[in-house]
Amino acid sequence: MQLTVARIGRAHGLRGEVALDLRTDVPQERLVVGAVLATAPATAGPLTIAHVRSLHDKWFLTFEEVTDRTGSEALRGVELLVESTASDEDDAWYPHELAGLRAEHVDGRTLGTIAGLEHLPAHDMLVLVEESGARTLIPFVRAIVPVVDVAGGRVVLDPPGGLLASDVANLVISDETSGPGEA
């Protein structure tokens, strides 16, 4: 299985350099001169890293196959891929490990299935397809996702009220209102 280590962003300069949107915690290991990376879409690559630099937590690359700004602009949105290896961290999972897991509430109810993981600026979000078919983004933080049991095929969620689409569907609006002066 291949994993995305970065998504190519905007062109930077005139000689084919591109900015990266990183998807790896170890770019210094994955993005090295001479590395040949597969791409998604596959027609954009493979790409061979010619030069790497980082500046203020931003990463920039040039590729042997791309030598000008026009070529680098054409790569915008292309994903750089590596072959997956098992994670050696206790609390780190690859998106393909999470997809398909059963989502359970802390009280034991089945909520739906995890469809994937989205990387947003603040933090990662689990994509939950609820039993109703609704697609809900769940912040992937320990307070809301206390258990990830890949071997057991499940994640346990402790969502705050109103986060799930099923919470909204179960709201009951009372018609018992009293206007001014009514008892």
Side-chain angles (χ1 to χ4, degrees):
M1 164 131 337
Q2 293 182 320
L3 300 175
T4 301
V5 293
R7 180 172 299 202
I8 297 176
R10 62 179 173 75
H12 191 265
L14 300 175
R15 295 196 170 107
E17 188 174 58
V18 294
L20 297 180
D21 178 15
L22 294 178
R23 297 285 189 251
T24 179
D25 292 336
V26 288
Q28 65 281 1
E29 293 176 20
R30 304 264 193 200
L31 305 172
V32 295
V33 172
V36 178
L37 302 172
T39 60
T43 56
L47 296 171
T48 306
I49 298 175
H51 184 265
V52 179
R53 72 181 179 98
S54 64
L55 178 66
H56 306 295
D57 295 326
K58 296 184 191 291
W59 286 72
F60 302 90
L61 296 181
T62 57
F63 302 103
E64 290 179 9
E65 298 82 3
V66 180
T67 58
D68 62 11
R69 184 176 184 89
T70 302
S72 63
E73 286 174 345
L75 292 175
R76 188 175 194 143
V78 170
E79 294 181 357
L80 300 175
L81 310 172
V82 297
E83 284 300 317
S84 70
T85 57
S87 176
D88 57 359
E89 296 180 46
D90 290 337
D91 63 347
W93 302 273
Y94 290 121
H96 72 272
E97 293 176 298
L98 300 170
L101 295 181
R102 181 180 66 256
E104 299 175 356
H105 194 277
V106 290
D107 66 9
R109 291 180 289 139
T110 299
L111 298 173
T113 304
I114 301 300
L117 185 69
E118 287 193 14
H119 304 282
L120 299 179
H123 46 75
D124 292 341
M125 304 285 268
L126 287 175
V127 179
L128 170 65
V129 177
E130 296 186 47
E131 291 194 319
S132 67
R135 181 180 174 272
T136 304
L137 295 179
I138 306 292
F140 198 9
V141 295
R142 190 175 305 277
I144 298 173
V145 188
V147 176
V148 177
D149 179 8
V150 173
R154 70 187 185 116
V155 296
V156 176
L157 305 177
D158 189 8
L163 179 64
L164 303 176
S166 59
D167 292 343
V168 175
N170 291 331
L171 286 178
V172 176
I173 300 174
S174 173
D175 289 327
E176 299 174 4
T177 59
S178 59
E182 294 180 17

